[in-house]
Amino acid sequence: MRTVLSILLAALAGLLAAVSLGGARVEALVYTPEPLQQIAAPVSEDPQLRQALPGEVSSLVEDQLPDMPGFVQSAASGLVEGAASGLVEDDRFPAAWSAVLEETRLDWVGRIDRLAEGDTTTSGTVHLQAAPLVELGAERLAEALSGVPGGEAVAEMLREGLIAGREAGDEEAGESLLSVDLSVPDPDTVSTEVVVLIVDNLYRWPWLAGTAAVVALLALWAAPRRRKGIPLFIAGLTVLAAGGLSRWALGRMEPAAGLEGIARVGAESLLDGIHDYAMPDTLILVVGGGVVAALGLLVGLVSGVRSRGPAGL
């Protein structure tokens, strides 16, 4: 009976330890800017994204242009396309991309908070906040218009349109005309309720880590004197299995079906970044769990040798 109890406690300790590590890393990703900047900054170098961004920004900037006569509108559209085409080569692009990432993170945290408070209109998916890039595109256009008669007035109207564009959209659902829904996490795969529950409890990971340590000690205490290696082996095996399962799950992450254009490219790049961010932690779980399991086997072998010693004398 004591052996069974120690096995159950050891498995629980291993599971809690694995969950606490994952919770710590996800909390840092969600609530501090550095991890997302680290994993998604290189995304701006993605050839597919760099190819898709100018067209998306050009379309968003054109939507904010004031009404003008047909020939003027056509000329302005040409200028917009020219300004957007050189967007990714602009020295200001890295700073704009960094602002996009931070606004995207803050927007998603706000969405989760509203959902946790009972808001049923808000989407729980990540929305790429393109406003900083659109503003850079508009600024480039304004620079191009500065030498054209009346260009300054058009540029000022464009800036005012961008301010309105940030606030326009479905205000009740927190949607903006200058954002792109990436459908991450995929609501067809993970329910919004589960996402909210996880994110809303991320701050508890230190308690989980402390509980894991206490439960592990209880497992060792409950094990018979000559079977102290069993709880170590089971705890290590549980952590190893959690790491392996996490690696498998990360490898299966894919963008939601039906995404196209910048939304699909952005979702793919974001998921790739999360994959690279989390994979080292799964390796820690696999290796750490393997070491603890091996230690348990070693302790079991030593205990077995000692228990047979007196009988052989």
Side-chain angles (χ1 to χ4, degrees):
M1 183 64 184
R2 290 185 63 183
T3 301
V4 173
L5 178 61
S6 71
I7 288 174
L8 293 176
L9 289 173
L12 178 60
L15 182 60
L16 290 174
V19 172
S20 67
L21 175 62
R25 296 290 280 171
V26 175
E27 184 187 38
L29 179 61
V30 172
Y31 290 110
T32 59
E34 290 79 10
L36 183 60
Q37 295 288 339
Q38 179 183 348
I39 69 173
V43 171
S44 64
E45 300 298 325
D46 186 322
Q48 285 185 299
L49 187 68
R50 292 172 75 89
Q51 184 178 1
L53 271 177
E56 183 72 19
V57 171
S58 176
S59 175
L60 290 172
V61 171
E62 286 188 18
D63 289 342
Q64 309 308 316
L65 286 174
D67 292 332
M68 295 177 284
F71 72 95
V72 178
Q73 188 81 37
S74 177
S77 295
L79 287 173
V80 169
E81 292 176 7
S85 65
L87 183 72
V88 294
E89 307 300 335
D90 195 295
D91 292 340
R92 295 165 289 184
F93 176 72
W97 180 251
S98 179
V100 165
L101 296 178
E102 181 60 6
E103 288 193 18
T104 298
R105 184 187 68 81
L106 292 174
D107 174 75
W108 190 66
V109 170
R111 289 172 182 279
I112 296 300
D113 288 343
R114 292 196 296 275
L115 287 167
E117 292 169 359
D119 185 351
T120 58
T121 63
T122 300
S123 167
T125 54
V126 175
H127 285 56
L128 186 70
Q129 300 301 308
L133 290 178
V134 176
E135 288 168 357
L136 175 57
E139 189 60 34
R140 287 173 55 82
L141 176 59
E143 291 168 359
L145 289 170
S146 62
V148 179
E152 287 291 347
V154 174
E156 186 58 32
M157 292 173 67
L158 179 57
R159 293 188 182 99
E160 292 174 359
L162 286 173
I163 294 173
R166 270 185 177 269
E167 301 170 352
D170 189 343
E171 187 175 333
E172 224 175 88
E175 307 294 338
S176 166
L177 293 178
L178 304 184
S179 67
V180 181
D181 187 356
L182 303 183
S183 290
V184 176
D186 185 353
D188 293 332
T189 304
V190 184
S191 72
T192 301
E193 291 76 11
V194 171
V195 174
V196 173
L197 179 64
I198 292 173
V199 174
D200 207 35
N201 287 278
L202 287 174
Y203 72 95
R204 301 181 188 273
W205 73 262
W207 292 96
L208 293 179
T211 303
V214 172
V215 173
L217 291 174
L218 288 174
L220 288 171
W221 171 81
R225 185 169 61 86
R226 293 178 180 177
R227 295 183 178 178
K228 297 298 184 184
I230 292 178
L232 286 173
F233 176 75
I234 295 300
L237 200 61
T238 302
V239 171
L240 189 154
L245 183 62
S246 299
R247 292 179 72 86
W248 174 80
L250 285 169
R252 289 176 59 86
M253 290 193 312
E254 293 182 354
L259 283 182
E260 297 179 354
I262 187 67
R264 183 165 192 85
V265 174
E268 287 177 346
S269 298
L270 178 60
L271 291 176
D272 286 345
I274 293 173
H275 177 278
D276 294 341
Y277 174 76
M279 270 299 179
D281 294 317
T282 64
L283 184 60
I284 290 173
L285 292 175
V286 170
V287 173
V291 169
V292 174
L295 179 61
L297 287 175
L298 180 61
V299 170
L301 288 173
V302 171
S303 298
V305 170
R306 287 179 176 176
S307 66
R308 290 194 299 269
L313 293 177

